[in-house]
Amino acid sequence: MNETAELLLALGGILLAGLATDLAGRATLLPRVTLLLILGVLIGPELFNLIPNNIVGQFELIAEMTLLMVGFLLGGRLKYSQLKRDNRMLLGISTIGAVGTALFVGVLLLLFGVPLPLAILLGCIASATAPAATVDTVLSTEHTGRFPRLLLGIVALDDAWGLVLFSFGLSLVAMLNGQGSTGEALMLAVHDVGGAVVLGLAIGIPAAQLTGRISPGQPMLTEALGLVFLCGGLAEYYGVSFLISSMVMGAVIANLAKHHDYPFHAIEGISWPLFAIFFVLAGASLELAALSTLSGVALLYMLGRTAGKILSGWLGASISGAPAKTARWIGVAMLPQAGAAMGMALVAASHYPEYGQTLLSLVIGSTIIFEIIGPVMTRWAMMKNRD
């Protein structure tokens, strides 16, 4: 069978399987994200080997395309008119949640004898929440109200804080290892985050005025995809965060495009097919052998991140004046972790090869667990917070 036939059969099978998991997710407590990941593991090279390796090899490109759309959609939910009454909670929970989780995991690992540089890196990686899994779980439940709106806003900022923390963590480890100067590391962090914000503004401001003119009030799918891919390409070219830049662009368009009826309707129509391909390939690309590397350090990392998210979410919500029910459940809803964490682990491994195998094995193994358990907990938290 030639590669074209394999590609078409694989994509068609994945999309049809996505429909089946959607139906199964509606009938059970298992979110479709979890079902797609399990399906990917089953049909991947490690088990039944039903999906060609050349298709699995395209995971990185599919992942970036999917996360670009996730960032765009998350930014679209950061409308000032909708979030202004939650601004204090949004900033308080997202900031304390990210910083608190990083500190909790880092200190816990350090107390149990993990080397300081590795504890710092793992603490920073632990702060990230999976935007794709969280967004898809929220959309699939069709719940509305303050809690899902607040959760999506927090997740939209969570990876931004995580990337900032990670950049500072890399600079701190560099100082501990005597590599480079603090000033150079700080400039790299400013370039990655600040450059992404500038890029998002540079594309979003004119796009807010120009889109939605051909079809009055509704931007066309071609416009939306063009902007998303343009933003992603420029972010890669200039070496800045594509997730942050697409999120900023989405937020700018949502807030400035007053002539739009609903600026992201077009792109939401194709987000689910990409979600399906993304999660199936994620499951297929994960090596089950990584599970055997889960040691005491990996268990500490998972327990520490779970406790850190729940406790810091509760603390941030309590300090910012959130309702008691929200404070109890917001951290539980933020347990999914996937692409951003793996990206951080790859960057850290390239900077510090001596920790590379430990970082990659631990993060990949824990990602499997968090992406199976996390969306279930997110759905549970949302059911406990129905308005």
Side-chain angles (χ1 to χ4, degrees):
M1 186 182 296
N2 60 47
E3 290 188 2
T4 301
E6 288 182 342
L7 174 62
L8 293 175
L9 286 171
L11 291 178
I14 290 172
L15 291 174
L16 291 175
L19 288 175
T21 57
D22 194 3
L23 292 174
R26 294 174 187 269
T28 67
L29 289 176
L30 287 175
R32 53 188 180 180
V33 170
T34 305
L35 295 170
L36 287 169
L37 278 168
I38 294 173
L39 174 66
V41 173
L42 290 174
I43 68 175
E46 295 288 313
L47 289 180
F48 295 107
N49 196 26
L50 298 178
I51 185 169
N53 285 326
N54 64 311
I55 306 300
V56 178
Q58 300 298 316
F59 173 63
E60 183 176 351
L61 175 60
I62 297 294
E64 290 198 7
M65 291 172 62
T66 305
L67 291 174
L68 276 168
M69 293 187 184
V70 167
F72 191 56
L73 292 172
L74 283 173
R77 288 174 172 81
L78 291 177
K79 294 190 70 172
Y80 180 74
S81 60
Q82 297 176 2
L83 297 175
K84 59 182 178 181
R85 63 181 180 276
D86 295 329
N87 277 345
R88 184 180 176 186
M89 285 187 283
L90 182 65
L91 293 174
I93 297 172
S94 63
T95 305
I96 295 176
V99 175
T101 301
L103 289 174
F104 191 93
V105 172
V107 171
L108 179 65
L109 293 175
L110 193 61
L111 289 175
F112 279 85
V114 175
L116 179 58
L118 184 58
I120 292 172
L121 293 173
L122 287 174
C124 294
I125 292 172
S127 65
T129 299
T134 307
V135 170
D136 184 68
T137 301
V138 171
L139 292 178
S140 66
T141 58
E142 299 180 351
H143 290 178
T144 59
R146 168 174 279 190
F147 188 84
R149 183 178 66 244
L150 183 65
L151 176 61
L152 291 175
I154 292 168
V155 172
L157 293 175
D158 188 77
D159 278 341
W161 298 134
L163 289 169
V164 171
L165 288 171
F166 182 68
S167 297
F168 280 101
L170 285 177
S171 69
L172 183 55
V173 172
M175 290 172 55
L176 293 172
N177 291 351
Q179 301 172 355
S181 66
T182 305
E184 291 174 346
L186 291 177
M187 286 302 297
L188 181 61
V190 171
H191 172 264
D192 188 45
V193 178
V197 173
V198 172
L199 177 61
L201 290 170
I203 300 176
I205 291 174
Q209 303 303 320
L210 297 175
T211 57
R213 303 293 184 180
I214 298 176
S215 178
Q218 291 282 353
M220 299 170 62
L221 179 60
T222 305
E223 293 175 315
L225 286 178
L227 289 172
V228 168
F229 293 149
L230 176 66
C231 182
L234 289 174
E236 289 287 344
Y237 180 79
Y238 288 110
V240 300
S241 171
F242 64 86
L243 182 58
I244 294 177
S245 60
S246 64
M247 183 173 60
V248 171
M249 179 180 68
V252 169
I253 294 174
N255 284 281
L256 296 185
K258 304 299 184 182
H259 61 287
H260 284 178
D261 296 327
Y262 184 38
F264 304 105
H265 175 74
I267 204 168
E268 281 185 353
I270 65 165
S271 62
W272 166 237
L274 274 177
F275 279 166
I277 297 171
F278 169 72
F279 286 116
V280 170
L281 291 185
S285 64
L286 292 174
E287 298 179 5
L288 293 180
L291 288 173
S292 64
T293 65
L294 289 175
S295 60
V297 175
L299 182 60
L300 282 173
Y301 172 82
M302 289 188 290
L303 292 176
R305 182 177 181 272
T306 300
K309 282 290 182 185
I310 293 173
L311 292 174
S312 59
W314 169 82
L315 179 61
S318 300
I319 291 175
S320 58
K325 185 188 292 187
T326 298
R328 283 196 301 270
W329 292 101
I330 194 67
V332 175
M334 296 170 62
L335 290 181
Q337 184 176 47
M342 286 192 283
M344 292 180 191
L346 288 169
V347 172
S350 67
H351 279 76
Y352 306 105
E354 64 271 29
Y355 303 123
Q357 188 60 46
T358 301
L359 282 168
L360 292 175
S361 297
L362 189 151
V363 173
I364 290 174
S366 63
T367 292
I368 298 172
I369 305 300
F370 280 125
E371 280 298 275
I372 291 176
I373 297 175
V376 177
M377 301 305 290
T378 300
R379 174 175 280 194
W380 187 23
M382 292 183 62
M383 291 175 64
K384 294 290 185 179
N385 284 269
R386 285 185 175 180
D387 290 347

